[in-house]
Amino acid sequence: MSNNLPSIKIERPLYEYQKLREDLNYEKTKKPYKFCKNVTCKKIITSTIPAIGWIPKYEKTFVLGDLAAGFTIAVMHIPQGMAYALLANLPPVNGIYMAIFPVLMYFFLGTSKHASIGTFSIAAVMTGKAVLEYSDSETSPSQVAAILTLAVATIQLIMCFLRLGIVSTLLSDVLVNAFTAATACQIVVTQVKDLIGLTIPKVSGNFLAIRTLMKIFENIGDFNVAATLISVISIAILVVSNEYLKPIIAKRTTIPIPSELFVVVLGVLTSQYIDLPNKYHIKTVGHIPSGLPEPSLPPISLFPSVALDGLSLAIVCYVTSMSIELILAHKANYEIDPNQELMAMGVSNVVGSLFSCMPISASLSRSTVQLVVGGKTQIVSIFSASILIVTLLSIGPFFEPLPRSVLASIIVVALKGMLMQMKQIITFWKLSKVDSTVWIGTFLTVVFVGSEIGLLVGISLSLCSVFILSLKPDTSLLGNVPNTDLYLDIDRFKKAKEINGIKIFHYCGGINFATKNMFRDELYKMIDLNAQKELLLRAKLKKLQEQFEKNKDGKLTEKMNRNESKINKCIKYLIVDFSSVTYLDPSGAEMLRSEFNNFKKLDISFYIAGCSDRVYNTFERCGLISKDENYLRIFSSIHDAVQCALFNLGAEENQAEKSNKIEEMELAELV
């Protein structure tokens, strides 16, 4: 097929970079000063409250889809909210509050049409750690969760003000994968006690999983058979529904089976009619107040204590939500504003803190269902919240007899996807040993130490991996494919040949204070240049020439010719390919100046080819560019540099031939 492709023939002048700028009317771009330019009151309001912009454009055809999605999401919120509130060591009703008050604020401020905001397993377990640590006789668990939520809100709003939406890039896919998988393991360990109806002392602080397992094994003889049986039945129903029934029904309808709600209702009815708490000592959800809570300020005095926990939670919740929202936005073809999302989550958490909520995040399972069922806009949140308000006002106490083992079963089954992420370590290991090191380090630290420290370790390892990879630049020697302007790695492309007297060194990466010595070492290694040997050889030749001028000795002429032939095999022109150099700092530029002078002493011309405009500007600022021969020559491409070198080599050969003829004539006259 390649034989049918047309050939390319181009005629143009040979360009040094400065000449290229002059001939093609180069002009530095000026970034416009945008602050307060063309900004109207309407734009400020609609950008701050996006709902004002899209609500007037809402189409009536969306109502049925949004209503169906709202009902489905409300049904999912009830069991998930109660289960994750239990995971956070909070009253189960708090999880339902999270699906109402913060969600209503996100409706006005958020930019995602399909994000289902509310409880999230990882946020719940991180909140639960803080609740155990700071709650006491004076401060209730709900108050600790509320002040933690306020801390998260404060941090997210500060990040929004500083426009730090880019912070989501700090957490790589590898890190997030390891963190979520490890947190899932930690959650499963914390749920074992409820799955088997065991009562153990509360465990808080670091090494939570290990200490919890130790307590479980110490008290394993006291497990409750009835609670264990309830857990087994609940898990079996959920697994059969998720693995077998849901895929079959999904082929016929988009409305999913509310298996979690079914298990909850079944657990409530069984507990109520068999009287499980009294007959079999089953722990239940307990009192659920009917109606809506009154807003109250959290204990501000506790803010400094939970600030560090709030920082890690703010980042985790934001990054998780952004990851989910970007996936859904890509599927539905619309845009997400990262900084506006920070504001939306921050304000939503402020409101949530007034109603004893823990920090909110988007849920992948609920958000995916919202999209699949037919939800088109965030009106889904209004419908969902309305249904939940009616539920709390009317049938809230109905859930009081629910066994805690049922909620623990829901949590464990819901974590299957996160637990299965552990298998991806095999893929990461095959693709990159550096990435797999980040995964293993993050996973082990989260599981055996704690979520916050694990997150910090993961971020540190990720940044270190980036730094290490930047210190391993890609270098090669390039050769020319005959009769073309292609220059390829001579080790990989056997038809690419080096040009006599010319070495072309390719470098990929940044050249800065940390990598400048590596650049120099790689350069000398690749071109196989022994500077000391070259200097001695040229000094010897110069001395012979001086003696010849005095004595006109034939033996000296012979020695000169031998040394000259050795030097002719050496490099005359060194071309450094800068097309893949991403950054050059003043330290790197100073190193290049020094190397330019060193090669000049060796009578080797040092050319740079194909640098970016940004790098060229650094050369200018550092005073390395001038029309004077004592400065660097920079060409627009490798081919331009090679053609210039070949032209100069031809001129040098002609001059050498003339000199040889003159010497021969002088020797003939002497004879």
Side-chain angles (χ1 to χ4, degrees), residues 19 21 70 96 103 125 167 223 381 496 498 595 640:
K19 181 65 175 173
R21 283 186 165 191
I96 299 178
V103 168
V125 76
V167 75
F223 79 99
S381 302
E498 285 193 282
E595 291 308 309
D640 289 73

Side-chain angles (χ1 to χ4, degrees), residues 644-660:
C644 180
L646 289 173
F647 177 81
N648 291 334
L649 280 172
E652 290 173 8
E653 287 177 3
N654 291 335
Q655 184 62 37
E657 287 179 5
K658 290 180 182 179
S659 299
N660 288 336

Side-chain angles (χ1 to χ4, degrees), residues 609-637:
C611 69
S612 66
D613 195 59
R614 178 187 182 186
V615 171
Y616 186 84
N617 289 335
T618 303
F619 282 131
E620 279 191 324
R621 288 194 296 269
C622 295
L624 288 174
I625 296 175
S626 174
K627 293 182 180 179
D628 191 337
E629 291 183 359
N630 292 321
Y631 287 81
L632 278 174
R633 295 188 70 179
I634 302 176
F635 293 86
S636 60
S637 71

Side-chain angles (χ1 to χ4, degrees), residues 79 127 141 186 313 394 429 483 511 549 637:
T127 302
Q186 196 178 55
L313 254 172
S394 56
W429 184 264
N483 303 317
I511 304 177
E549 291 295 329
S637 71

